[in-house]
Structures are given as structure tokens and as C-alpha cells.
Amino acid sequence: MDFLLVAIVVFFMIFAGVDYYIVLAQHKIAEHIMHYYLERVRIEGYLTSADEAEMISKYASVGMTVEDIQCPRESRGDSRVLRNVLNPDASRINFTVTVKPPWRPLTVGLLIGASAAPDTFRIKVGGSVLSERTNP
């Protein structure tokens, strides 16, 4: 009986660890992809249409769906953010990507009767850079 109780506790701890690792790994993947395109935005002054399509494709290749992109984008007709040496804050570009991951927290916990995170669970990653673009 003691073994059964200890086994159940260990079982829950293993599932909690696996669940935490899955969410953490998804976040790291999303962050890694975002940082690559954040550097592209720094160089270009905005997110080009080609980079946007490629970024969405990279997220899709790891099972994530891009739901929102917040930054100046060529596809929306936004103008480039140019470097301003007199006022660096005017050169700041904020970049945020919201993705729907393939797995929600506690998905593994469903096997033991736990409730999963709501379907509104999203991963949001972002950063801020100063534009290096000097001419339109």
C-alpha cells in the first residue's frame, strides 16, 4: 500500500515535470524564431513581406500558428523606421509575436483527470531594437 501511494505521487511529479518542460521548450522555440526576425527588423527598419511569410512558415513548421504580429510591416503599408541619431527613442521598434502552440499546459495531465489550460492559451514573445536603416 505504501508503494502504491509513493508511486502515485511520483507519477504526478513526472507528469508535472514533463508538462512544464513541454511549455518551456515551446516558448524557447518561439523566442528563438522571434529573435532572428527581430534582427532582420533592426536592419530593414520594418518587417518585410518576404520575412513575414518566411517567419509564419517557420512557426508553422514547428506546429505553431501565428495569430498576431505587432511591429511596422511592409504588408500593411507601414513606412520604415529610420535611424535618428539626435533622438534614439524615435528609432525604437517594438516587435511582438503571438502564437498558438500545438500543446497547452497540462495536456499530459489529462491522462490523470486534470483540466487543461483554456483554448485561449497563447505564447507571446517580443523585443525592442533601434533601427539601423538610414535611408528609405
Side-chain angles (χ1 to χ4, degrees):
M1 187 60 124
D2 291 338
F3 175 75
L4 186 59
L5 290 174
V6 170
I8 290 172
V9 170
V10 169
F11 182 70
F12 282 115
M13 289 173 46
I14 289 171
F15 276 113
V18 168
D19 184 57
Y20 178 76
Y21 176 77
I22 289 171
V23 173
L24 184 64
Q26 290 179 124
H27 186 273
K28 284 295 179 189
I29 290 168
E31 199 171 44
H32 177 71
I33 294 170
M34 180 276 307
H35 276 292
Y36 175 81
Y37 290 97
L38 180 63
E39 288 301 309
R40 296 284 302 150
V41 166
R42 180 179 61 83
I43 293 167
E44 292 292 334
Y46 64 9
L47 185 64
T48 65
S49 296
D51 284 342
E52 183 176 350
E54 186 179 302
M55 180 181 71
I56 291 170
S57 174
K58 281 192 180 182
Y59 277 115
S61 72
V62 293
M64 296 183 190
T65 306
V66 175
E67 292 193 344
D68 188 38
I69 302 169
Q70 294 294 322
C71 75
R73 298 185 334 214
E74 180 182 28
S75 64
R76 288 191 319 204
D78 297 335
S79 59
R80 293 181 193 263
V81 176
L82 301 177
R83 182 172 52 172
N84 184 341
V85 294
L86 300 175
N87 182 9
D89 286 335
S91 301
R92 182 171 304 282
I93 302 172
N94 295 316
F95 184 68
T96 306
V97 180
T98 304
V99 296
K100 181 178 182 182
W103 291 290
R104 295 179 285 157
L106 286 179
T107 302
V108 178
L110 290 173
L111 298 173
I112 55 175
S115 61
D119 195 37
T120 57
F121 176 76
R122 300 294 181 263
I123 294 175
K124 191 173 189 177
V125 291
S128 183
V129 291
L130 296 178
S131 177
E132 292 295 322
R133 187 74 178 204
T134 57
N135 60 7

